[in-house]
Amino acid sequence: MERLTRRAAAASLLLTLLLGMLYYITQSIRVESLEEVTKIPADGRSDTHSRVSDVRLTSPDHLQYKQPSVVHGRTDVVSVTPWLAPVVWEGTFNPVLIDSIYKPQNVSVAVTVFAVGKYIMFLKSFLETMEQYFFVGFNVHVYVFTDQPKDVPEVRVAAGRQLTVRLVPSSKRWQEISARRMELIQVLIEETLHHHDYIFCLDVDALFHGRWGAESLGGLVAVLHPGYYKDGRSRLPFERRPQSRAYMAPEDGDFYYCGGAFGGSLQEVHLLTKTCRYNFEADAREGIEAAWQEESHLNRYMWIHKPSKVLSPEYLWQDFARRNPEIRIIRFSGIVKNYADIRPNV
Ligand SMILES: *[C@@H]1O[C@H](CO)[C@@H](O)[C@H](O)[C@H]1NC(C)=O
């Protein structure tokens, strides 16, 4: 009898041990797969030194400008996020003051734009309006990625501004072009890290209509999507399938950000592109493509790594959208286009 209970005790001890091990193993697998989604590449931050000094906001003595108020300001929009990042709207900043702070820093701003396939038709007016409105008086270096370098238009640029053409292979699917953007931006940053302070990655099928300047600078910069900035979480078009690394649970999400405009310091955008590319490719190996490709992965990234500056939809409006009263100025806006005419596949 005693031997039997001892045996039973030993057996139950063994079972407990086995169950414990099993639990440990499944838990560590879970943690690993979660980490994959939000992984911070080991060499993302450590090997670089920032040239950016947005912590020291030095302004000239005796600069004349309207006294700011802390009790009067815009009341129709929110100009700060719950993690205390500014949300940039017309009327929340003084452009003269902003320029007087950032111009002496001699910052260099890189821009990437993809003009692949028929999208080359948008490049000329993009570049011409950019010259008029985007970081006027600053060092701006535009990198045009195209499969048709001969068709890149000649656009006269002011001193301190330049354009470089980078050749990319043509692609039959626009989803593929979109997917490779992250990789191409990542590689560009690795090659030009010491030449620029900030980078913005912009859609080519859009025009500038108003100032886009140094008020938009920040470590990690996201633009509120014009189509969803008033909507509740359940209406935001995040990736909803848990199998994807861009997955957002129903109770997740701050805002829905644009894939058509984002930026920040070179270090931060490098980490973003590297992570999104990794997750996109890992998804692809498992046969899954997120609902809005890179935009879905970008939104997942920005949920975990909160942007330090959020730009209002003034910074990427859509020409076909009705202008809402809180939109006092449109700075950059997507042009109306017929997808069937310009995409290699729909
Ligand atoms: C400002 O930056 C540009 C490159 O972006 C450089 O060529 C120039 O020498 C710099 N000027 C000063 C005064 O540091």
Side-chain angles (χ1 to χ4, degrees), residues 51 106-108 139 195:
R51 306 202 315 154
N106 195 31
V107 294
S108 169
N139 305 305
H195 300 131

Side-chain angles (χ1 to χ4, degrees), residues 9-179:
S12 73
L13 187 68
L14 198 67
L15 194 68
T16 314
L17 262 172
L18 273 171
L19 279 174
M21 273 169 69
L22 199 66
Y23 177 76
Y24 176 78
I25 289 167
T26 53
Q27 277 305 29
S28 57
I29 288 172
R30 223 181 81 82
V31 167
E32 242 166 52
S33 65
L34 262 183
E35 262 171 13
E36 204 173 297
V37 174
T38 57
K39 191 180 281 178
I40 294 177
D43 54 346
R45 281 170 207 266
S46 52
D47 60 347
T48 56
H49 296 286
S50 177
R51 306 202 315 154
V52 175
S53 60
D54 58 359
V55 283
R56 192 172 300 140
L57 303 176
T58 308
S59 118
D61 195 6
H62 306 306
L63 183 74
Q64 303 278 310
Y65 62 95
K66 189 170 167 262
Q67 190 199 357
S69 168
V70 286
V71 286
H72 297 293
R74 286 195 65 164
T75 51
D76 57 339
V77 290
V78 169
S79 57
V80 66
T81 68
W83 58 95
L84 298 179
V87 186
V88 184
W89 298 89
E90 178 71 357
T92 61
F93 65 92
N94 182 325
V96 174
L97 176 57
I98 290 279
D99 285 350
S100 78
I101 292 169
Y102 287 95
K103 277 233 179 95
Q105 291 185 20
N106 195 31
V107 294
S108 169
V109 180
V111 175
T112 64
V113 64
F114 287 77
V116 178
K118 290 182 184 163
Y119 279 79
I120 190 89
M121 70 166 90
F122 302 114
L123 188 58
K124 188 161 190 284
S125 46
F126 171 91
L127 293 172
E128 282 171 354
T129 55
M130 169 176 249
E131 184 65 15
Q132 273 177 281
Y133 295 111
F134 186 83
F135 280 91
V136 175
F138 284 78
N139 305 305
V140 176
H141 194 144
V142 185
Y143 294 89
V144 175
F145 292 83
T146 185
D147 52 351
Q148 303 145 81
K150 286 199 195 79
D151 296 329
V152 173
E154 292 271 341
V155 173
R156 282 179 59 95
V157 293
R161 301 171 81 92
Q162 54 179 314
L163 186 148
T164 301
V165 176
R166 290 176 75 111
L167 188 65
V168 297
S170 322
S171 179
K172 292 211 167 49
R173 290 181 72 236
W174 64 267
Q175 290 92 338
E176 218 163 89
I177 300 165
S178 161

